[in-house]
Amino acid sequence: VQLQASGGGLVQPGGSLRLSCAASGFTLNDYTIAWFRQAPGKEREGVYCRRQRDGATSSADSVKGRFTISRDNAKNTLDLQMNNLKPEDTAVYYCAATRRRPILSACLSDPSYDYWGQGTQVTVSS
Protein backbone atom coordinates (compact mmCIF):
# COMPACT_ATOMS: atom_id res chain seq x y z
CA VAL A 1 0.00 0.00 0.00
CA GLN A 2 1.49 3.30 -1.08
CA LEU A 3 0.11 6.80 -1.17
CA GLN A 4 1.52 9.74 -3.09
CA ALA A 5 0.29 13.28 -2.47
CA SER A 6 0.94 15.99 -5.04
CA GLY A 7 -0.30 19.36 -6.22
CA GLY A 8 0.98 21.66 -3.51
CA GLY A 9 2.49 25.04 -4.20
CA LEU A 10 2.43 28.75 -3.51
CA VAL A 11 -0.86 30.57 -4.02
CA GLN A 12 -2.21 33.98 -3.12
CA PRO A 13 -5.02 34.41 -0.61
CA GLY A 14 -8.34 33.76 -2.31
CA GLY A 15 -6.74 31.43 -4.82
CA SER A 16 -7.27 27.73 -5.44
CA LEU A 17 -5.23 24.55 -5.50
CA ARG A 18 -6.09 20.96 -6.23
CA LEU A 19 -4.22 18.24 -4.36
CA SER A 20 -4.19 14.67 -5.53
CA CYS A 21 -3.65 11.50 -3.50
CA ALA A 22 -2.63 8.62 -5.76
CA ALA A 23 -2.87 5.07 -4.48
CA SER A 24 -0.82 2.12 -5.59
CA GLY A 25 -1.17 -1.44 -4.46
CA PHE A 26 -4.83 -1.09 -3.58
CA THR A 27 -8.11 0.35 -4.82
CA LEU A 28 -9.04 3.61 -3.12
CA ASN A 29 -12.71 2.76 -3.06
CA ASP A 30 -11.97 -0.16 -0.71
CA TYR A 31 -10.35 2.10 1.86
CA THR A 32 -11.27 5.02 4.04
CA ILE A 33 -9.14 7.95 2.86
CA ALA A 34 -8.42 11.25 4.52
CA TRP A 35 -6.49 14.43 4.05
CA PHE A 36 -4.61 15.86 7.02
CA ARG A 37 -2.46 18.92 7.39
CA GLN A 38 0.21 20.12 9.74
CA ALA A 39 1.30 23.72 10.08
CA PRO A 40 4.63 24.66 11.70
CA GLY A 41 4.41 24.39 15.46
CA LYS A 42 0.92 22.91 15.37
CA GLU A 43 -0.53 19.45 15.71
CA ARG A 44 -1.65 17.56 12.67
CA GLU A 45 -5.36 18.00 12.00
CA GLY A 46 -7.84 16.14 9.87
CA VAL A 47 -9.17 18.18 6.97
CA TYR A 48 -11.47 15.89 4.98
CA CYS A 49 -12.21 12.20 4.87
CA ARG A 50 -14.19 9.78 2.76
CA ARG A 51 -15.26 6.53 4.33
CA GLN A 52 -15.04 3.26 2.43
CA ARG A 53 -18.13 1.46 1.19
CA ASP A 54 -20.77 4.09 1.91
CA GLY A 55 -18.68 7.08 0.77
CA ALA A 56 -19.77 9.18 3.74
CA THR A 57 -17.60 12.25 4.22
CA SER A 58 -16.59 14.52 7.05
CA SER A 59 -14.69 17.78 7.00
CA ALA A 60 -13.15 20.19 9.47
CA ASP A 61 -15.23 23.25 10.31
CA SER A 62 -12.38 25.49 9.16
CA VAL A 63 -12.67 24.26 5.56
CA LYS A 64 -16.40 23.79 5.16
CA GLY A 65 -17.71 25.59 2.12
CA ARG A 66 -14.20 26.00 0.69
CA PHE A 67 -12.74 22.50 0.30
CA THR A 68 -14.27 19.50 -1.41
CA ILE A 69 -13.07 16.00 -2.23
CA SER A 70 -13.66 13.90 -5.30
CA ARG A 71 -12.63 10.45 -6.41
CA ASP A 72 -11.24 9.59 -9.82
CA ASN A 73 -11.73 5.86 -10.24
CA ALA A 74 -9.83 5.71 -13.51
CA LYS A 75 -6.75 7.27 -11.93
CA ASN A 76 -7.31 5.71 -8.51
CA THR A 77 -6.93 9.10 -6.83
CA LEU A 78 -8.75 11.12 -4.22
CA ASP A 79 -8.47 14.81 -4.94
CA LEU A 80 -8.84 17.73 -2.54
CA GLN A 81 -10.09 20.88 -4.24
CA MET A 82 -9.20 23.91 -2.14
CA ASN A 83 -10.88 27.21 -2.96
CA ASN A 84 -10.74 30.64 -1.35
CA LEU A 85 -7.49 29.74 0.35
CA LYS A 86 -6.41 31.66 3.42
CA PRO A 87 -2.97 32.16 4.97
CA GLU A 88 -4.03 29.89 7.82
CA ASP A 89 -4.38 27.05 5.32
CA THR A 90 -0.61 27.04 4.95
CA ALA A 91 0.64 23.62 5.97
CA VAL A 92 2.07 20.35 4.77
CA TYR A 93 -0.84 18.27 3.52
CA TYR A 94 -0.87 14.47 3.84
CA CYS A 95 -3.20 11.77 2.67
CA ALA A 96 -3.83 8.67 4.73
CA ALA A 97 -5.71 5.41 4.33
CA THR A 98 -7.15 2.58 6.36
CA ARG A 99 -8.95 -0.61 5.46
CA ARG A 100 -11.25 0.00 8.41
CA ARG A 101 -14.53 1.86 8.38
CA PRO A 102 -14.40 4.25 11.35
CA ILE A 103 -17.42 6.05 12.70
CA LEU A 104 -17.65 9.50 11.15
CA SER A 105 -16.67 11.23 14.37
CA ALA A 106 -13.32 9.37 14.20
CA CYS A 107 -12.83 9.77 10.47
CA LEU A 108 -10.65 12.87 10.94
CA SER A 109 -8.59 11.38 13.74
CA ASP A 110 -4.93 10.33 13.22
CA PRO A 111 -5.12 6.98 15.02
CA SER A 112 -7.79 5.79 12.61
CA TYR A 113 -5.24 5.48 9.81
CA ASP A 114 -2.62 2.86 9.02
CA TYR A 115 -0.98 4.18 5.87
CA TRP A 116 0.40 7.62 5.21
CA GLY A 117 1.83 9.30 2.16
CA GLN A 118 4.57 11.88 2.13
CA GLY A 119 3.35 15.45 2.44
CA THR A 120 2.95 18.20 -0.08
CA GLN A 121 3.54 21.80 0.93
CA VAL A 122 0.79 24.37 0.50
CA THR A 123 1.72 27.99 1.11
CA VAL A 124 -0.87 30.75 0.98
CA SER A 125 0.79 34.13 0.90
CA SER A 126 0.71 37.41 -0.97
Side-chain angles (χ1 to χ4, degrees):
V1 173
Q2 287 192 325
L3 298 166
Q4 178 88 23
S6 62
L10 172 64
V11 63
Q12 292 187 342
S16 298
L17 277 177
R18 189 176 184 88
L19 306 184
S20 185
C21 177
S24 58
F26 68 101
T27 301
L28 271 178
N29 201 39
D30 295 336
Y31 282 67
T32 296
I33 308 293
W35 282 96
F36 287 81
R37 66 186 181 186
Q38 188 165 23
K42 295 188 177 181
E43 291 187 355
R44 187 161 57 191
E45 65 167 338
V47 174
Y48 225 120
C49 64
R50 182 187 182 281
R51 196 166 60 180
Q52 58 114 303
R53 274 194 278 157
D54 63 8
T57 61
S58 181
S59 60
D61 288 342
S62 59
V63 306
K64 287 186 191 300
R66 300 188 298 123
F67 292 11
T68 57
I69 56 172
S70 61
R71 193 180 75 234
D72 187 324
N73 289 334
K75 296 180 180 179
N76 203 28
T77 62
L78 186 77
D79 294 347
L80 180 68
Q81 178 66 42
M82 305 186 296
N83 298 326
N84 190 22
L85 283 160
K86 304 175 180 180
E88 52 264 42
D89 294 318
T90 295
V92 177
Y93 284 70
Y94 302 87
C95 57
T98 179
R99 183 78 180 186
R100 292 171 287 174
R101 188 169 172 268
I103 57 174
L104 274 183
S105 60
C107 192
L108 294 175
S109 177
D110 288 31
S112 296
Y113 294 88
D114 306 304
Y115 307 102
W116 293 82
Q118 93 296 347
T120 185
Q121 176 71 47
V122 171
T123 303
V124 185
S125 175
S126 55

